[in-house]
Amino acid sequence: MEHKTFPGIVTKVDSDQGIVEQVVAVFGNLDLGGDVIHPGAFVKTIAERGLRVRCLDNHQIDSIMRVLGKTLAIREIGREELPADLLAKTPTATGGLWVRTQYLLDTPEGKGAFVRIREGAIDEYSIGYDALDVDYSKLLAEGKQVTARNLRTLKLYEYSPVLWGMNPATGTVSAKREPAEAKPYPNEHACRLRKPDDFQ
C-alpha cells in the first residue's frame, strides 16, 4: 500500500458534533512525489468500498484504537467545488476527493484529533491506497521537463490527518455541526505503509 499526503486549509469550525469536511486528494496537479491523480481515479473504489474507507491516525494500522472518526460521505468533486483558497494555491487543480467525517469525540483519540484540526494545528491529510492503473507522461514543472506518474485508478483504504504534506493542495473544507436530518512519515516523499506483519 502506498500513501500520499496533502497540505490543507481550514475554512470554518463548529465543534458540536465533530463533523469535518475535507478534500483529501487533489486532481490535476503534480505533487512532490511526481504523481498526478486524475478525475475518475476513485470512482471504482467508492462504488466498491464507499463508507468502509477508514479515517486513521497518521496511517497507523496496528490497533482499532487508531480509528479517529467515521466516514459519513465520500465523493469526487469537480473544479467548481474546490475551495477558492485551494484554487489560488493550485490553479491547475481539476477536482478532488471530498470526505465528510464525524470524529469520535467520546474517545480521547478522536477528540484530540478534532481539536487539533479545529484549532488549525493540523491541516494536512494523507491517503492510503493501491495504484491499480498508472501510466507515465512528460510534463513541464518549474521550467524543467519531468516524468509524471499518472494515477488513473486507485483502491482507497484510508485517509489520515497527518503532520506534513506532499501535495501543494487539499484540506479541511469545514468542521461543523451535522444537520439534524443527516446523519508517517515526516518527509515529502511517497512511502510504503507497513503491513500488519511488520508490527511485532
Side-chain angles (χ1 to χ4, degrees), residues 40-119:
F42 296 100
V43 169
K44 186 175 189 295
T45 200
I46 290 171
E48 292 176 351
R49 297 182 56 75
L51 302 184
R52 292 177 56 221
V53 174
R54 306 294 187 200
C55 176
L56 300 182
D57 180 1
N58 211 50
H59 298 298
Q60 299 298 308
I61 59 171
D62 60 328
S63 168
I64 64 169
M65 305 302 286
R66 304 299 191 180
V67 176
L68 299 177
K70 179 180 178 182
T71 304
L72 300 177
I74 183 170
R75 64 185 174 90
E76 287 195 6
I77 61 174
R79 179 180 170 83
E80 69 283 354
E81 293 184 76
L82 293 175
D85 289 350
L86 189 154
L87 289 172
K89 287 193 311 184
T90 314
T92 60
T94 58
L97 182 66
W98 172 91
V99 180
R100 180 184 291 128
T101 307
Q102 183 164 36
Y103 284 81
L104 304 173
L105 299 185
D106 289 339
T107 70
E109 300 84 9
K111 183 174 181 179
F114 181 78
V115 168
R116 287 166 175 82
I117 292 166
R118 183 190 67 198
E119 298 302 318

Side-chain angles (χ1 to χ4, degrees), residues 56-198:
L56 300 182
D57 180 1
N58 211 50
H59 298 298
Q60 299 298 308
I61 59 171
D62 60 328
S63 168
I64 64 169
M65 305 302 286
R66 304 299 191 180
V67 176
L68 299 177
K70 179 180 178 182
T71 304
L72 300 177
I74 183 170
R75 64 185 174 90
E76 287 195 6
I77 61 174
R79 179 180 170 83
E80 69 283 354
E81 293 184 76
L82 293 175
D85 289 350
L86 189 154
L87 289 172
K89 287 193 311 184
T90 314
T92 60
T94 58
L97 182 66
W98 172 91
V99 180
R100 180 184 291 128
T101 307
Q102 183 164 36
Y103 284 81
L104 304 173
L105 299 185
D106 289 339
T107 70
E109 300 84 9
K111 183 174 181 179
F114 181 78
V115 168
R116 287 166 175 82
I117 292 166
R118 183 190 67 198
E119 298 302 318
I122 293 296
D123 59 1
E124 303 186 12
Y125 298 90
S126 187
I127 58 172
Y129 65 95
D130 286 336
L132 302 181
D133 180 17
V134 304
D135 58 66
Y136 296 86
S137 62
K138 297 290 186 183
L139 293 178
L140 196 62
E142 298 180 2
K144 299 178 189 175
Q145 191 175 61
V146 299
T147 300
R149 183 175 70 150
N150 298 298
L151 303 176
R152 307 284 184 183
T153 304
L154 300 177
K155 182 175 183 178
L156 183 66
Y157 295 96
E158 53 89 12
Y159 57 96
S160 300
V162 294
L163 296 174
W164 288 283
M166 179 185 300
N167 192 307
T170 75
T172 302
V173 178
S174 69
K176 63 184 181 181
R177 180 177 183 157
E178 182 73 354
E181 65 273 14
K183 240 357 243 178
Y185 301 97
N187 60 43
E188 296 182 336
H189 302 285
C191 300
R192 299 279 176 179
L193 184 63
R194 289 180 295 171
K195 294 182 172 54
D197 59 349
D198 293 334

Side-chain angles (χ1 to χ4, degrees), residues 3-14:
H3 67 98
K4 185 170 296 301
T5 310
F6 309 85
I9 303 164
V10 176
T11 58
K12 63 180 179 177
V13 175
D14 179 343

